Amino acid sequence: MSSSNTTVQTINVKSSDTAFFHNNVDFCVGTGRFGLALTKEYLDELRFVQEEIGFKHIRGHGIFTDDTAIYHEYEEDGITKVEYNYTYLDRIMDEYLKLNIRPFIELGFMPKDLASGTQTIFYWKGNTTPPKSYERWCDLVVALLTHLMERYGEKDVLTWPIEVWNEPNLPGFWEHADMKEYCKLFKETFTAIKELNPAFKVGGPAICGVKDAEWIKGFLDFCKENELKPDFITRHHYTIEFPEADGHYDYSVLMDEEAGFANLQSTRDIIDSFDEYKGLPIHITEFSSSYTPKGVIHDTNLNAALMARQLSRLGDMNESYSYWTFGDVFEETGVPFSLFHGGFGLVAAGSIPKPTFWTFKFYTDLKKLGEGCVFKNDNAVIEKTAKGYAGVLFNESSDESLDIKLSLEDIAKGEDADNEYTLILKTVSPKTTNPLKLWHDLGEPATPNSEQTKLIKSAAFPQVTSDRLTASEGSISFDQTLDPETVVYFELSKSKVKSDRGYSYERTINTR
């Protein structure tokens, strides 16, 4: 991609500057249904993600669906009895803990034996009807949590957030999108969990996009009337208009980002309008650009740049925000037909990182190094560090380059005013980091062989460049041009060259 238009932006930063930036990028990430964690490819992808990023929690559907096989009813002496089977649950949770990730438990969907109806959703037929017995539903939830505490320790399990159901404001996910029935489900579930142990953190209503203001207010009105105090509120956030389907794929038109942020703020405002719930944390338990697992935008550099801006702003009004999802092992609309199919994942099959993966990696690295945000706008987040500065720069435009002229003032003082610094730049752009293009140029093999996978993966990593800069009167300036749809991570840190006796870098590279 080339651009003949360039926008110039000057950024001047002082170490005493401050800007609000709540960076909780690594708190949680989404997954397909829990049963997929029984497969090797799923665990390979999650292992790669955890090694590079290291999310604290993982949230997915289907902890109670029949492929995890927890809930069973049987007849004995003419009496219907219930038994639980934790074989698969334990196998899944054991793998999660090995990878140092804990569940953000979404309670759903309904086991077939416990369901009041036959409505299902997705290729894997998750039942989305209320329980035929709320007593047995609550017994199931309490038994699950009791088992988890016995196996993994009460202290640990009590830190695992619990969300009641998923998107009950959509009729496909909750029969008739019945708010009254959902509120009953929440009350019964919330009460049962708090009676088991009041230290559990429980929230809802996990709504997405339709009548969200009505649902948030209605839910809190119900909680107030019934003297319930959820520990947090959950909702979802996607940034596209209704997509156009073509074959196996969905093509999306982006919505106005500012309208999306305003919608999130409206949820904050509704919660804070209740004296009882003012300041209650909001967890976005799903977010991405497109809400379809066939959304081709997910595989692109544009998505990486879009998510860079989202991550810079989502903490303004939310405690956490969970990207949907970490990997492309996902079957809501069926088994994918091809390697790059618009899947939600940060990584594709073969643990091939998509450009958006690096956006999350960059913000995670910034969180580890950062000691306070000094600058934030629609193209940059910059933090001071123990040795200098670090930041994420991004350009969402698809047709204009962005030339950022960055001046980092009072980086060094006194005797250190003229010290040398190392500048590390990691660039993710259509030119430098574009596995989608290489796959296309190879002829779009649906399931690449091992050599093709290795080649595609080699094109999926950032371009790393470096320089040595000298502070002048305590300040350092450098220019960075961002091509369209580009994300750049930089670290500027004080360093000193300590050459071995007789070694000269300058003589080495100038041998002719």
Side-chain angles (χ1 to χ4, degrees):
M1 182 179 298
S2 62
S3 171
S4 58
N5 300 318
T6 301
T7 300
V8 178
Q9 184 177 138
T10 299
I11 297 176
N12 298 312
V13 173
K14 294 181 180 179
S15 61
S16 58
D17 291 343
T18 59
F20 181 76
F21 176 49
H22 175 61
N23 185 0
N24 210 3
V25 61
D26 58 346
F27 182 78
C28 188
V29 71
T31 174
R33 72 184 189 279
F34 273 101
L36 293 172
L38 297 168
T39 66
K40 181 181 182 300
E41 174 65 27
Y42 177 104
L43 293 175
D44 287 345
E45 290 179 16
L46 183 57
R47 184 175 299 107
F48 176 74
V49 168
Q50 286 302 94
E51 288 172 353
E52 292 289 334
I53 297 174
F55 291 101
K56 296 181 177 68
H57 295 283
I58 187 166
R59 173 195 175 271
H61 307 319
I63 197 168
F64 288 144
T65 49
D66 291 333
D67 65 332
T68 56
I70 294 175
Y71 182 87
H72 301 269
E73 292 184 359
Y74 65 99
E75 294 286 334
E76 186 173 272
D77 300 327
I79 300 173
T80 299
K81 296 185 177 181
V82 173
E83 62 184 356
Y84 308 118
N85 182 344
Y86 299 116
T87 300
Y88 280 177
L89 175 76
D90 291 348
R91 192 177 299 174
I92 293 166
M93 295 301 170
D94 287 355
E95 292 297 330
Y96 282 163
L97 267 65
K98 285 179 187 176
L99 297 174
N100 198 29
I101 195 167
R102 277 120 173 105
F104 191 125
I105 300 174
E106 175 206 300
L107 296 174
F109 293 119
M110 198 60 60
K112 184 178 180 180
D113 285 351
L114 186 53
S116 62
T118 59
Q119 175 178 293
T120 62
I121 195 168
F122 300 144
Y123 166 83
W124 39 274
K125 300 187 183 305
N127 189 287
T128 55
T129 67
K132 65 184 181 184
S133 165
Y134 275 93
E135 180 181 3
R136 288 184 182 175
W137 165 262
C138 290
D139 288 346
L140 169 63
V141 172
V142 168
L144 170 78
L145 298 177
T146 300
H147 172 78
L148 291 173
M149 287 191 291
E150 289 174 350
R151 185 174 179 85
Y152 302 109
E154 179 179 312
K155 183 178 179 181
D156 195 347
V157 175
L158 286 174
T159 68
W160 302 0
I162 302 171
E163 181 179 46
V164 180
W165 213 255
N166 175 76
E167 298 183 357
N169 61 319
L170 302 181
F173 284 96
W174 181 245
E175 194 173 43
H176 309 305
D178 188 333
M179 187 190 298
K180 182 178 179 181
E181 191 70 31
Y182 172 76
C183 287
K184 179 180 180 180
L185 179 78
F186 183 84
K187 178 183 177 181
E188 298 293 331
T189 308
F190 181 87
T191 302
I193 294 172
K194 291 295 186 176
E195 287 178 353
L196 173 64
N197 194 318
F200 275 114
K201 303 298 183 185
V202 186
I207 52 124
C208 181
V210 176
K211 299 181 179 178
D212 50 327
E214 177 183 331
W215 265 78
I216 292 294
K217 186 177 186 306
F219 174 70
L220 291 176
D221 282 336
F222 174 85
C223 289
K224 179 179 179 179
E225 181 181 342
N226 288 271
E227 298 182 344
L228 304 174
K229 188 168 183 180
D231 296 289
F232 52 84
I233 300 299
T234 62
R235 64 158 297 165
H236 299 164
H237 174 60
Y238 293 95
T239 60
I240 63 159
E241 305 293 350
F242 194 77
E244 177 186 348
D246 188 352
H248 298 137
Y249 304 93
D250 290 334
Y251 296 85
S252 308
V253 175
L254 293 169
M255 67 181 290
D256 176 33
E257 283 186 277
E258 288 303 322
F261 291 130
N263 180 257
L264 294 177
Q265 184 61 48
S266 72
T267 297
R268 176 76 272 163
D269 294 342
I270 291 169
I271 295 168
D272 290 346
S273 71
F274 288 80
D275 291 339
E276 299 86 350
Y277 306 120
K278 187 173 184 177
L280 208 60
I282 303 172
H283 291 283
I284 297 180
T285 49
E286 289 181 26
F287 88 96
S288 184
S289 50
S290 174
Y291 50 75
T292 161
K294 304 178 294 180
V296 294
I297 191 174
H298 294 136
D299 301 332
T300 67
N301 290 89
L302 173 59
N303 199 74
L306 289 168
M307 291 305 104
R309 187 178 180 201
Q310 290 289 316
L311 290 175
S312 76
R313 294 275 297 274
L314 290 177
D316 289 358
M317 68 292 284
N318 304 289
E319 175 60 28
S320 75
Y321 27 92
S322 177
Y323 189 74
W324 189 254
T325 60
F326 81 84
D328 270 359
V329 179
F330 196 89
E331 298 175 355
E332 285 186 357
T333 58
V335 178
F337 280 78
S338 190
L339 172 66
F340 288 112
H341 56 273
F344 285 119
L346 292 172
V347 296
S351 297
I352 298 170
K354 302 179 189 179
T356 305
F357 175 92
W358 300 109
T359 298
F360 280 78
K361 168 68 171 170
F362 293 166
Y363 274 98
T364 304
D365 290 347
L366 186 61
K367 182 175 181 178
K368 292 174 182 176
L369 282 179
E371 296 185 344
C373 186
V374 293
F375 183 86
K376 185 176 81 170
N377 71 1
D378 288 340
N379 299 107
V381 178
I382 301 172
E383 294 217 16
K384 58 185 176 184
T385 69
K387 295 183 177 181
Y389 289 94
V392 180
L393 313 176
F394 43 95
N395 179 18
E396 294 176 281
S397 173
S398 294
D399 55 17
E400 285 192 354
S401 295
L402 175 63
D403 184 13
I404 294 180
K405 297 183 179 299
L406 185 57
S407 176
L408 303 170
E409 301 178 12
D410 66 8
I411 189 171
K413 299 178 181 179
E415 295 180 357
D416 295 331
D418 296 322
N419 269 354
E420 291 187 335
Y421 286 76
T422 298
L423 175 65
I424 301 293
L425 296 164
K426 299 178 181 180
T427 301
V428 173
S429 75
K431 295 178 181 177
T432 65
T433 313
N434 198 342
L436 178 65
K437 182 179 186 299
L438 180 52
W439 170 76
H440 167 72
D441 291 342
L442 287 172
E444 301 181 8
T447 53
N449 61 35
S450 59
E451 286 302 311
Q452 289 172 323
T453 298
K454 186 177 180 181
L455 182 61
I456 295 167
K457 194 170 184 177
S458 73
F461 289 78
Q463 178 189 63
V464 179
T465 56
S466 62
D467 203 352
R468 291 195 61 79
L469 304 177
T470 301
S472 175
E473 297 182 353
S475 299
I476 283 182
S477 298
F478 65 91
D479 292 357
Q480 182 61 39
T481 298
L482 281 69
D483 287 337
E485 302 175 4
T486 290
V487 183
V488 172
Y489 174 78
F490 78 87
E491 287 181 20
L492 183 69
S493 55
K494 185 167 66 174
S495 67
K496 185 176 182 180
V497 176
K498 299 178 181 178
S499 299
D500 187 24
R501 181 167 60 89
Y503 184 80
S504 168
Y505 175 75
E506 288 73 19
R507 290 180 65 186
T508 300
I509 63 173
N510 292 289
T511 57
R512 299 186 70 176

